[in-house]
């Protein structure tokens, strides 16, 4: 294989109660990337369409992730990367993660898959570190593995794929304001009380159990965040109104997608997820803020190969 074209999905990190550890993969929104072998060693980024991003591979998350992978292989050729960026920067649905995960996935495919998907996660995390200052894995892991993923441990890295209930759908509203993950992380409190930790632990355990047993009521009861939502939600216009509307329209729960400003809701069944989307639209219609809305099933596959030669 000399060239591969892939679809790299957007992702929702945290999923309310799993700050920095839980993430899920979306299906209907994502970037397209083309990666091809070059005779010259190293990484080049020849084209980025859709967003204004650096082509210098040492300043670009896709380039940094790709270079981290290349350090571990002994080859006398290199790779060129082209990105069609549909996921907007600072949207909270894993824009940087998609670039980083896509780059290492594509290169690994061309190399004949010397690395497992799990083994690609640390390379992609190097890209996340460039973007936000922290090598969090809760977007790159679901982009690479698909479905829901849990970072059981960062040191050593241990990522687990979690069961996805068949009827679970996500609705995401992206208000067109940019919140940088780096900034959103700076408002989060570094210390929490034991009482807060107990609540969060109960909800995370409940959500994981609910996902495995496909218990939608338990999923609904567990979608709460005590750690970051109270501090970050003030950065997002109409956050509480969107949450209220989602719940009135039958969503199982809702919260900030990653570091925001996107807000997600989970629903049982696509019809309910569409109803939640209409409710969100109604809230945002009169704010004067542009927005996108996506309804998506949970993508259990992750990155998809579109073509290769
Ligand atoms: N867990 C990260 C954060 C995700 O909330 O900062 C960023 O998309």
């Amino acid at each position: 294989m000399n060239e591969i074209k892939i679809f790299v999905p957007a992702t929702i990190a945290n999923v309310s109660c799993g700050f920095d550890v839980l993430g899920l993969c979306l299906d209907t929104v994502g970037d397209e990337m083309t990666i091809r072998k070059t005779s010259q060693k190293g990484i080049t980024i020849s084209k980025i369409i859709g967003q204004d991003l650096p082509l210098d591979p040492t300043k670009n998350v896709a380039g940094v992730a790709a270079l981290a992978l290349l350090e571990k292989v002994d080859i006398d050729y290199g790779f060129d990367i082209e990105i069609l960026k549909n996921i907007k920067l600072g949207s909270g649905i894993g824009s940087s993660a998609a670039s980083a995960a896509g780059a290492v996935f594509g290169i690994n495919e061309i190399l004949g898959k010397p690395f497992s998907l799990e083994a690609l996660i640390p390379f992609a995390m190097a890209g996340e570190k460039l973007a936000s200052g922290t090598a969090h894995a809760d977007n790159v892991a679901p982009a690479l593995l698909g479905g829901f993923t849990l970072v059981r441990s960062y040191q050593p890295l241990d990522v687990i794929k979690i069961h996805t209930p068949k009827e679970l759908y996500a609705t995401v509203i992206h208000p067109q304001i940019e919140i940088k993950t780096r900034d959103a992380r700076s408002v989060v409190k570094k210390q929490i009380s034991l009482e807060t930790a107990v609540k969060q632990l109960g909800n995370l355990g409940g959500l994981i159990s609910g996902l495995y047993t496909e218990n939608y009521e338990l999923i609904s009861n567990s979608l709460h965040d005590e750690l970051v939502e109270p501090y970050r939600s003030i950065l997002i216009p109409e956050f509480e109104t969107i949450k209220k509307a989602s719940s009135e329209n039958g969503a199982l729960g809702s919260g900030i997608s990653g570091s925001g400003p996107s807000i997600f809701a989970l629903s049982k069944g696509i019809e309910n997820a569409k109803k939640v989307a209409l409710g969100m639209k109604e809230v945002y219609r009169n704010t004067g803020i542009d927005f996108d809305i996506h309804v998506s099933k949970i993508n259990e596959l992750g990155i998809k190969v579109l073509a290769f030669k």
Side-chain angles (χ1 to χ4, degrees), residues 218-280:
L218 180 54
I219 294 170
S220 178
N221 290 340
S222 308
L223 283 169
H224 299 289
D225 175 25
E226 307 288 331
L227 295 193
V228 296
E229 193 175 294
Y231 309 104
R232 286 180 171 174
S233 56
I234 46 177
L235 306 171
I236 306 171
E238 302 299 337
F239 179 76
E240 291 302 334
T241 331
I242 288 279
K243 271 193 84 125
K244 189 163 172 279
S246 300
S247 141
E248 282 168 4
N249 282 304
L252 299 168
S254 56
I256 303 172
S257 176
S259 52
S262 289
I263 307 167
F264 79 95
L266 294 182
S267 294
K268 184 179 180 189
I270 190 163
E271 290 314 319
N272 204 130
K274 286 182 182 163
K275 193 171 163 209
V276 170
L278 287 177
M280 288 180 171

Side-chain angles (χ1 to χ4, degrees), residues 171-174 276-278 280-282 291-295:
T171 310
V172 184
I173 179 162
H174 170 216
V276 170
L278 287 177
M280 288 180 171
K281 217 177 259 181
E282 197 53 36
F291 59 92
D292 293 328
I293 293 198
H294 310 285
V295 173

Side-chain angles (χ1 to χ4, degrees), residues 22-62:
L22 199 60
L24 68 81
C25 189
L26 294 169
D27 202 37
T28 50
V29 51
D31 295 342
E32 270 180 30
M33 295 177 75
T34 303
I35 292 144
R36 60 178 69 87
K37 239 175 174 171
T38 54
S39 52
Q40 166 205 349
K41 278 179 140 188
I43 298 293
T44 52
I45 301 173
S46 58
K47 202 193 279 180
I48 301 174
I49 303 168
Q51 300 279 292
D52 189 17
L53 286 163
L55 294 176
D56 176 348
T58 63
K59 298 195 172 95
N60 180 294
V61 295

Side-chain angles (χ1 to χ4, degrees), residues 123-184:
F123 305 135
M125 287 166 72
E128 286 289 61
K129 181 141 200 241
L130 176 78
S132 72
T134 313
H136 61 91
D138 49 343
N139 289 107
V140 293
L144 283 164
L145 306 185
F148 279 84
T149 57
L150 174 77
V151 185
R152 205 264 322 148
S153 155
Y154 272 94
Q155 278 172 341
L157 187 68
D158 183 12
V159 179
I160 304 158
K161 188 162 174 178
I162 305 290
H163 177 77
T164 299
K166 278 170 230 37
E167 292 181 82
L168 202 60
Y169 282 79
T171 310
V172 184
I173 179 162
H174 170 216
Q176 311 273 300
I177 52 169
E178 187 183 342
I179 296 182
K180 291 199 169 73
T181 298
R182 198 181 285 269
D183 299 338

